[in-house]
Amino acid sequence: MDNMYSYDYQFRLIVVGDSTVGKSSLLRSFCDGVFSQDPDPTVGVDFNVRIVEVKPGVKVKLQLWDTAGQERFRSITRAYYRNSVGVLLIYDTTNYVSFTHVTSWLNEARAQIQPYHSVFLLVGTKIDRESERQVTTEEGKAFADFHNISFIETSSKSSLYVQEAFTMIAREIYDMLTEGRIHVQSGWDGVKTGPKSANSNQSQPIEIAQNVQPRRNGCCSS
Amino acid sequence: FDREEKRMTQSSSEQLPVVNMTNDDIELLKRLEEENRRIEYDTKSPANSTQTNHTGHPKSPELHHKQLRQDSISSDVSNLTIDTDGNLESEWSVWNKIINNWTTYMKKKPQWIKDMIRAGVPIHFRPLLWQCLGKVETSHVKGKYAEYMKMTSPCEKVIRRDISRTYPDHEFFKEKHGIGQERLFNVIKAYSLYDREVGYCQGIGFIVGLLLMHMPEEDAFAVLVSMMQDLSMRDMYKPDMFYLGLCIFQFETMIQEFLPDLYRHFQVENFSTSTYASSWFLTLFTNQFPFIVACRTMDLFLSEGIEIIFRMGIALLEIHQDHLMLLCMDDMLKYFQKDVPIKHETDHESLFQRAFSVQYNSKKMKKLEKEYNIIRKEEQEEQIEVRRLRNENRLLKQRVENLEKESATLANRLIEGQVSNAQYAEESYQLKRENCTLKKQLDEKLKNTTFSSSGHNSVQLTSPTELEMLRETVEKLNMENRNLQSTPHIEIAALQEELTLVKMRDAEAQVSMNELRQRIADLNREWQLHDSTCKTLRESNQANESNDAYDLIAHELLSLKMREAQTDCDNKALSQQIMDLETQKQVIYNQIKRQDDEIQRMRLELDESRVREQELRAQLNETKNQMHDGELRLKEDSMMLRIREAESTQAIGDLRQRIAELEVQNQELITRGQIMDNRDLQEKLLELQDEVMRLRLLPTIHRNHSTSTDPRRLDYEESEDECLISPLSTSVNQRLSSSSIVLSPSSFISSNHRLRQSTPSLFPTLASSQSSATSID
């Protein structure tokens, strides 16, 4: 737990995709190292945290927001896009329909995040069930290339490429941050710098609380 | 508790006859309940065994459900054992009464029932209570359940996916495709068919599961329908989830009101209410919370509605406020998910008591609802606006693109236009130059023409020459005409010659014919001679007279024949002559014809030449006219020239006048100058006179001051004199400058003075003259 406070950056990522594509399983596999066959359906949003090293010596805390996949929960989950710097678009490789819905997820995420820069990662899940595969790797790759986003296929069950997926998007965000294409902005939780000490973490933000959250257009300068 | 119990007892006293009447029934009921309990224990028996196995893993909340359920049951049991004499009996009987006379109690004492439920429902009455609260008895949907079972729902696939994930650790639902899962699926499916607008929403499963733990499918379905409709849970699950948003909004406002510190903390941490509270509202604490809490919440929810969720939510936050205040966002969510449910596994009574004490203001909630409606509407409008603006933006971008394209093409065209413009400019420049040169040429030509106009005489000269030339041509033409007229004569002559030749030939032919006639005549003669000789011979030879006659006739015949031949010959000759003449005539006729033609031609030519002559005459007239015009113009010009000459002479006169004036001026000036000179001269004269005077005086001075010879001495004297004189002289000078020349003695001095200044060579003499002047003064 004391490790929780020694990191350089905090990235907030949102995990979206159809219901039962394995969002919660992917996060549990990544954060807890456990695979649960049938996690509770996410009602609203859930939340996970893990620290990864994007570069030797550079630690990044990933705040991972798990969202409900069912269409009608979008009214709730929509609010969580704004403060996210990265979006993991999840589809089930054994369910073609979930793949066809990726476009709408992507569009919604893009529309909601709009003034801020964000990084997308297309993640295909359940590749351990190769025999049931409905979406080929090529299809996924083509989609990702078309939309100019990264792509990876994973298996939460055998924890195959789960780590890679998260480090991939974390690195991409970190690179953009160092390139200056993404900035740490007050009033935006997408990217935050790590706390200097555990104590200052509590007292510091109270001052900011007095300020009204800057409007979206105020941050368009980037 | 005491208060409630008092009320309970009061009510029981009111309902005394009922109680008395059903004393036996109570006994029966008790037995029934016990049996019921036994059945339940039987179903839970495997759960009991698993429960002991799982006690080592307290982290799984689902397991705690069971454990707690067991606990609650055991507590109930303990209650039973402890209060066997009084409370339990009365509680049971009371609940029995309530359930049995639900409608009457509900009508008469709804508040009391509510309080009873708040106080806690015995586990065995729970299924009945829920059914009563869900109006299962009167529900008409129960009958439709079987019907729904036969149908297929469009949501089946989605429901199926979540079935295995609902209470996956609960014994009843654990088995894949077991009774529990099937029932769960059936009820959810039935509802999705019953209410197609809502269909299936994640979260329903937990509620249905809880209901199924207490009652059969059909009843659970009926209670679910009642919950959805009467307690507006369907609004919660509707695709737009409007009611959930409203609840979150209301709950947030309540936090702000009751727990301002915590609210601020959440704000600071950017910890939105929906993150932790949406599952509370959607699953009514059935998910993650202990079983007993879930059951009691369900009791209260069915009795009081959504209000209890607000109360419980606030109560939870109140209880955990101090701890939450220390946590950052990440930890808060984890705390809500894990630590809070665990904490209330054992201690749920305090939570509910706290919840009951929360001041829930339904009026305010209504107000908030209205507010939220407005906000939502505004948001929607904003979204619509945003969408509209985006659309507009897109369209504008498109337009901009189009315009850019257009502008690019226009720019291209502009450049082209400029290029062509430049070309045009060049062309126009060239044209101007050409124009210029043409103008120059024109000017030159005009000059020439003016020259020619000035020398119109040349035209006059040229026109007679032309006239002469024309005359010549006319003569020539006449000559030609004559020639042409003469040529047929020559031809005629030729033809005459020919004719004469033909005549000669004819004559020759006549001659030859005559010769031939002569010869014929000779031959005749010869023949006559011969005849005579023959006659003689015959007379001599032949004595026959008839023969003689015959001979004579023959002879005569012969001569006749000869004569005939001769005449024939003549005839022939004559016919030949006729023929000749006729041919001659023909020839002549032809010749005449030809001549006639020629004459005709000549006449035509003559006419033409006449016309030409006329034309020429007209031309001549024209030229004459032109000449006349030219002469007129010339006259005009000359007139103009004369006028100009007159003007110029006038100008010259003016100039002369001016010259004269100038000369006069000059004269004046000269005279003035002379006058000036005169003045100067006068001055000079005066000066000279002065000098003359001085010179005249000089010998006398020399005589007076013969001793003083030292020039220095003189100098000194002079300066001294000057000192003496100076005031006077200056005054004189002043007067002199102001007045005109006045010949006064003082002016002499002044002029003297001036002279002295101008002629320093005269210095020594002057000093003496000065002194003399003073002496004169």
Side-chain angles (χ1 to χ4, degrees):
Chain A
M1 215 44 187
D2 49 357
N3 207 26
M4 272 330 236
Y5 293 110
S6 57
Y7 55 87
D8 299 283
Y9 291 105
Q10 177 189 295
F11 296 161
R12 188 181 284 194
L13 310 176
I14 187 164
V15 183
V16 296
D18 275 12
S19 179
T20 66
V21 293
K23 297 181 291 295
S24 301
S25 292
L26 182 74
L27 289 180
R28 218 160 279 181
S29 171
F30 176 62
C31 297
D32 307 332
V34 180
F35 174 70
S36 49
Q37 184 79 47
D38 294 310
D40 288 2
T42 312
V43 182
V45 285
D46 202 352
F47 179 77
N48 287 281
V49 171
R50 209 190 134 172
I51 288 181
V52 291
E53 218 173 36
V54 289
K55 215 172 88 177
V58 180
K59 282 182 179 173
V60 170
K61 178 179 162 189
L62 296 179
Q63 260 190 5
L64 300 154
W65 289 84
D66 191 6
T67 60
Q70 207 181 359
E71 174 74 24
R72 66 191 71 188
F73 283 91
R74 286 196 190 188
S75 59
I76 300 172
T77 56
R78 206 168 280 150
Y80 293 87
Y81 286 110
R82 205 187 82 87
N83 278 312
S84 306
V85 71
V87 180
L88 285 109
L89 302 160
I90 317 287
Y91 71 92
D92 183 353
T93 55
T94 66
N95 176 3
Y96 199 86
V97 180
S98 72
F99 179 66
T100 60
H101 289 163
V102 169
T103 318
S104 79
W105 287 108
L106 177 69
N107 287 341
E108 180 167 84
R110 279 206 168 133
Q112 295 298 322
I113 294 173
Q114 220 177 38
Y116 300 103
H117 226 89
S118 59
V119 178
F120 290 86
L121 175 66
L122 182 67
V123 183
T125 56
K126 307 184 190 175
I127 54 165
D128 51 284
R129 286 151 72 176
E130 191 59 45
S131 58
E132 295 168 53
R133 190 190 262 276
Q134 288 181 6
V135 186
T136 63
T137 311
E138 287 70 34
E139 279 175 290
K141 186 91 188 76
F143 180 89
D145 287 344
F146 180 75
H147 290 281
N148 199 21
I149 59 177
S150 307
F151 169 66
I152 199 164
E153 282 185 339
T154 61
S155 164
S156 306
K157 196 172 185 178
S158 49
S159 68
L160 209 63
Y161 302 120
V162 173
Q163 296 282 333
E164 285 79 355
F166 288 95
T167 30
M168 195 181 195
I169 191 166
R171 279 214 185 105
E172 206 170 317
I173 294 162
Y174 179 73
D175 288 343
M176 284 178 93
L177 194 68
T178 49
E179 282 165 25
R181 286 159 72 192
I182 289 173
H183 305 278
V184 181
Q185 294 168 32
S186 66
W188 185 55
D189 293 344
V191 180
K192 278 181 165 176
T193 46
K196 278 154 196 147
S197 68
N199 293 335
S200 67
N201 194 34
Q202 286 182 342
S203 59
Q204 199 185 4
I206 291 164
E207 298 160 40
I208 305 160
Q210 316 299 9
N211 306 338
V212 186
Q213 275 200 352
R215 287 258 134 208
R216 283 179 173 205
N217 52 8
C219 308
C220 286
S221 56
S222 63
Chain B
F1 248 69
D2 289 353
R3 189 167 49 89
E4 274 166 22
E5 233 153 86
K6 261 181 213 165
R7 215 187 287 169
M8 196 175 79
T9 45
Q10 274 172 5
S11 65
S12 61
S13 62
E14 276 167 26
Q15 302 280 326
L16 213 71
V18 186
V19 178
N20 288 338
M21 267 174 73
T22 55
N23 247 345
D24 294 345
D25 293 8
I26 288 164
E27 287 294 318
L28 207 138
L29 244 167
K30 220 193 275 179
R31 250 182 289 148
L32 261 167
E33 291 291 341
E34 261 172 305
E35 226 175 301
N36 208 355
R37 208 190 315 162
R38 219 180 326 121
I39 292 157
E40 237 177 2
Y41 268 87
D42 284 345
T43 51
K44 296 288 179 255
S45 55
N48 270 345
S49 61
T50 51
Q51 182 206 332
T52 46
N53 290 341
H54 280 282
T55 39
H57 310 278
K59 270 194 177 174
S60 164
E62 286 79 17
L63 282 172
H64 279 275
H65 279 184
K66 255 171 289 161
Q67 201 184 348
L68 274 161
R69 189 176 179 181
Q70 212 57 52
D71 287 349
S72 75
I73 289 159
S74 60
S75 75
D76 279 344
V77 172
S78 66
N79 274 348
L80 265 168
T81 48
I82 291 160
D83 304 333
T84 27
D85 327 310
N87 269 339
L88 183 76
E89 286 298 321
S90 59
E91 199 188 353
W92 272 52
S93 59
V94 166
W95 274 110
N96 194 30
K97 264 188 283 169
I98 292 167
I99 300 297
N100 282 332
N101 305 286
W102 177 257
T103 42
T104 46
Y105 271 100
M106 219 28 207
K107 266 181 197 163
K108 285 180 181 170
K109 299 174 173 181
Q111 189 57 46
W112 178 68
I113 290 170
K114 207 171 141 190
D115 289 340
M116 283 296 287
I117 293 164
R118 278 191 175 192
V121 183
I123 186 161
H124 307 95
F125 287 98
R126 188 159 280 147
L128 293 168
L129 174 71
W130 287 4
Q131 284 175 31
C132 287
L133 285 165
K135 296 157 201 152
V136 174
E137 288 297 320
T138 54
S139 175
H140 57 281
V141 294
K142 216 170 144 183
K144 286 186 186 169
Y145 187 74
E147 206 177 299
Y148 290 136
M149 281 303 98
K150 288 172 198 158
M151 291 156 77
T152 48
S153 165
C155 310
E156 261 173 49
K157 217 173 168 183
V158 193
I159 297 164
R160 195 57 90 180
R161 268 191 219 144
D162 283 344
I163 290 298
S164 60
R165 310 204 282 165
T166 313
Y167 300 124
D169 296 322
H170 197 284
E171 197 55 40
F172 189 53
F173 300 108
K174 203 174 188 180
E175 197 186 332
K176 198 143 198 178
H177 304 294
I179 299 169
Q181 286 199 0
E182 276 314 300
R183 282 183 185 175
L184 189 63
F185 175 76
N186 286 344
V187 175
I188 297 169
K189 187 188 102 178
Y191 187 76
S192 76
L193 286 162
Y194 171 77
D195 187 346
R196 284 177 191 263
E197 194 189 349
V198 169
Y200 168 71
C201 177
Q202 286 179 331
I204 292 179
F206 291 101
I207 289 165
V208 175
L210 188 70
L211 294 175
L212 281 172
M213 284 179 205
H214 292 89
M215 57 190 83
E217 286 174 52
E218 287 162 38
D219 295 329
F221 174 65
V223 173
L224 180 69
V225 169
S226 155
M227 268 173 80
M228 290 288 193
Q229 283 185 329
D230 305 334
L231 299 164
S232 60
M233 275 307 273
R234 69 182 299 273
D235 294 327
M236 197 80 83
Y237 295 121
K238 263 190 203 167
D240 64 346
M241 287 193 153
F242 177 81
Y243 193 54
L244 178 68
L246 170 63
C247 287
I248 298 288
F249 176 72
Q250 287 170 327
F251 189 59
E252 216 166 73
T253 326
M254 279 177 84
I255 300 166
Q256 199 176 1
E257 193 186 333
F258 297 120
L259 305 157
D261 293 338
L262 191 66
Y263 179 77
R264 209 171 309 131
H265 178 60
F266 284 168
Q267 287 274 298
V268 168
E269 288 295 317
N270 212 345
F271 188 54
S272 73
T273 318
S274 68
T275 314
Y276 59 93
S278 44
S279 84
W280 294 353
F281 284 101
L282 281 168
T283 64
L284 310 173
F285 293 99
T286 52
N287 187 19
Q288 290 175 336
F289 273 82
F291 181 73
I292 183 67
V293 175
C295 287
R296 282 197 76 178
T297 312
M298 189 56 81
D299 296 340
L300 294 158
F301 177 76
L302 287 168
S303 135
E304 297 179 30
I306 199 76
E307 181 185 325
I308 195 66
I309 308 298
F310 285 101
R311 286 173 177 281
M312 281 180 70
I314 294 292
L316 276 170
L317 293 178
E318 268 177 4
I319 291 162
H320 299 284
Q321 183 179 11
D322 296 339
H323 197 87
L324 285 167
M325 288 295 281
L326 301 170
L327 298 175
C328 67
M329 192 199 72
D330 315 3
D331 299 329
M332 274 198 281
L333 196 72
K334 284 272 165 284
Y335 185 75
F336 272 117
Q337 286 178 340
K338 286 182 181 154
D339 300 325
V340 171
I342 290 164
K343 230 176 187 170
H344 294 285
E345 272 168 14
T346 45
D347 179 25
H348 50 86
E349 194 53 44
S350 64
L351 169 67
F352 285 104
Q353 287 310 316
R354 196 108 187 205
F356 300 145
S357 66
V358 169
Q359 294 198 321
Y360 181 87
N361 190 340
S362 50
K363 264 188 196 169
K364 204 182 171 189
M365 292 307 239
K366 280 266 169 66
K367 218 177 101 188
L368 286 171
E369 193 180 334
K370 271 179 198 165
E371 251 176 67
Y372 182 74
N373 273 325
I374 292 162
I375 289 167
R376 206 44 199 268
K377 206 176 265 178
E378 273 173 15
E379 250 172 45
Q380 273 178 345
E381 272 165 23
E382 230 168 78
Q383 268 189 348
I384 288 163
E385 182 72 10
V386 163
R387 218 170 295 156
R388 195 183 62 77
L389 285 169
R390 260 185 213 155
N391 245 12
E392 217 168 287
N393 194 18
R394 212 193 53 231
L395 288 173
L396 284 169
K397 268 184 190 165
Q398 242 168 3
R399 259 176 70 185
V400 163
E401 233 169 82
N402 285 344
L403 286 169
E404 267 172 12
K405 267 186 208 165
E406 218 170 289
S407 77
T409 51
L410 283 170
N412 269 345
R413 270 169 64 183
L414 187 76
I415 289 161
E416 278 168 30
Q418 276 174 339
V419 166
S420 57
N421 213 358
Q423 284 173 347
Y424 287 143
E426 218 172 304
E427 270 174 47
S428 73
Y429 179 70
Q430 279 179 345
L431 285 168
K432 266 181 193 168
R433 271 179 63 180
E434 263 176 60
N435 199 6
C436 242
T437 49
L438 282 168
K439 264 184 187 168
K440 269 182 196 170
Q441 281 179 355
L442 199 75
D443 279 343
E444 274 170 39
K445 272 190 183 170
L446 276 170
K447 269 181 200 169
N448 286 345
T449 47
T450 46
F451 262 113
S452 63
S453 71
S454 64
H456 224 321
N457 299 332
S458 64
V459 176
Q460 259 180 314
L461 285 167
T462 48
S463 49
T465 49
E466 263 179 64
L467 208 70
E468 248 174 277
M469 266 166 68
L470 285 166
R471 265 179 197 158
E472 257 175 66
T473 47
V474 167
E475 253 173 278
K476 265 184 197 171
L477 284 166
N478 279 340
M479 279 276 280
E480 249 179 88
N481 198 9
R482 231 170 287 154
N483 282 347
L484 283 167
Q485 271 174 336
S486 61
T487 41
H489 285 287
I490 292 158
E491 265 178 61
I492 287 160
L495 283 166
Q496 274 171 342
E497 254 175 84
E498 218 177 306
L499 190 72
T500 48
L501 277 169
V502 167
K503 273 178 182 170
M504 269 172 75
R505 242 185 282 153
D506 192 62
E508 266 174 55
Q510 271 183 335
V511 168
S512 61
M513 214 163 75
N514 281 340
E515 273 176 27
L516 277 169
R517 257 181 214 158
Q518 196 115 26
R519 263 169 74 184
I520 288 164
D522 284 345
L523 277 167
N524 268 340
R525 232 178 286 138
E526 267 181 57
W527 170 257
Q528 274 169 350
L529 277 172
H530 173 72
D531 212 18
S532 55
T533 52
C534 274
K535 267 173 181 177
T536 55
L537 275 163
R538 261 178 218 163
E539 279 172 18
S540 55
N541 292 351
Q542 292 169 351
N544 204 341
E545 249 182 84
S546 62
N547 276 358
D548 276 341
Y550 179 71
D551 277 339
L552 243 162
I553 291 161
H555 194 72
E556 246 174 88
L557 190 78
L558 260 172
S559 60
L560 274 167
K561 273 183 182 171
M562 276 187 67
R563 237 182 276 163
E564 203 188 315
Q566 224 170 324
T567 46
D568 270 351
C569 202
D570 285 339
N571 211 4
K572 263 183 187 168
L574 283 167
S575 64
Q576 203 183 345
Q577 233 172 328
I578 287 157
M579 280 276 275
D580 279 348
L581 285 166
E582 261 179 322
T583 49
Q584 227 169 322
K585 190 187 134 193
Q586 200 80 32
V587 166
I588 286 158
Y589 185 75
N590 279 345
Q591 273 182 343
I592 286 160
K593 228 183 183 177
R594 252 180 281 155
Q595 273 182 333
D596 274 350
D597 279 343
E598 209 139 335
I599 285 154
Q600 207 105 29
R601 198 152 44 84
M602 285 295 180
R603 265 176 199 159
L604 274 171
E605 268 177 67
L606 197 73
D607 281 347
E608 273 175 40
S609 60
R610 263 176 201 157
V611 167
R612 227 178 289 160
E613 208 183 308
Q614 264 178 344
E615 276 175 46
L616 284 164
R617 264 179 198 152
Q619 274 185 351
L620 200 74
N621 277 336
E622 244 175 84
T623 46
K624 268 179 187 167
N625 280 339
Q626 275 182 356
M627 223 155 75
H628 195 69
D629 284 350
E631 272 174 327
L632 276 173
R633 225 180 290 156
L634 209 72
K635 269 178 194 168
E636 246 174 79
D637 283 352
S638 62
M639 279 288 282
M640 284 296 285
L641 277 165
R642 261 177 223 162
I643 287 160
R644 241 177 268 165
E645 210 181 273
E647 275 174 16
S648 57
T649 47
Q650 207 173 340
I652 287 159
D654 284 351
L655 284 166
R656 267 180 193 154
Q657 208 169 341
R658 262 183 76 185
I659 287 160
E661 272 172 39
L662 283 165
E663 270 173 2
V664 166
Q665 271 183 345
N666 201 11
Q667 210 83 40
E668 251 178 77
L669 282 166
I670 287 160
T671 48
R672 211 181 290 168
Q674 277 173 340
I675 288 159
M676 287 297 282
D677 277 352
N678 276 352
R679 230 179 259 173
D680 282 353
L681 282 167
Q682 273 178 343
E683 265 176 55
K684 266 182 191 172
L685 197 79
L686 281 167
E687 275 167 31
L688 285 167
Q689 276 172 345
D690 251 352
E691 218 171 0
V692 168
M693 279 271 280
R694 189 174 46 82
L695 286 167
R696 268 179 199 165
L697 283 168
L698 203 68
T700 53
I701 291 157
H702 265 283
R703 257 172 272 157
N704 287 343
H705 300 280
S706 54
T707 49
S708 56
T709 46
D710 193 350
R712 273 185 209 167
R713 179 79 189 137
L714 255 168
D715 203 343
Y716 173 68
E717 272 181 4
E718 194 265 343
S719 64
E720 219 177 33
D721 283 351
E722 206 173 33
C723 284
L724 286 164
I725 290 157
S726 58
L728 186 86
S729 65
T730 46
S731 68
V732 167
N733 271 341
Q734 273 171 353
R735 222 187 303 160
L736 192 75
S737 60
S738 58
S739 65
S740 58
I741 311 147
V742 183
L743 284 168
S744 67
S746 58
S747 73
F748 284 9
I749 295 153
S750 69
S751 58
N752 232 344
H753 188 65
R754 222 186 293 164
L755 197 73
R756 177 181 54 92
Q757 280 178 327
S758 57
T759 52
S761 53
L762 292 164
F763 197 67
T765 51
L766 190 93
S768 56
S769 72
Q770 208 100 67
S771 61
S772 70
T774 48
S775 65
I776 287 160
D777 270 0

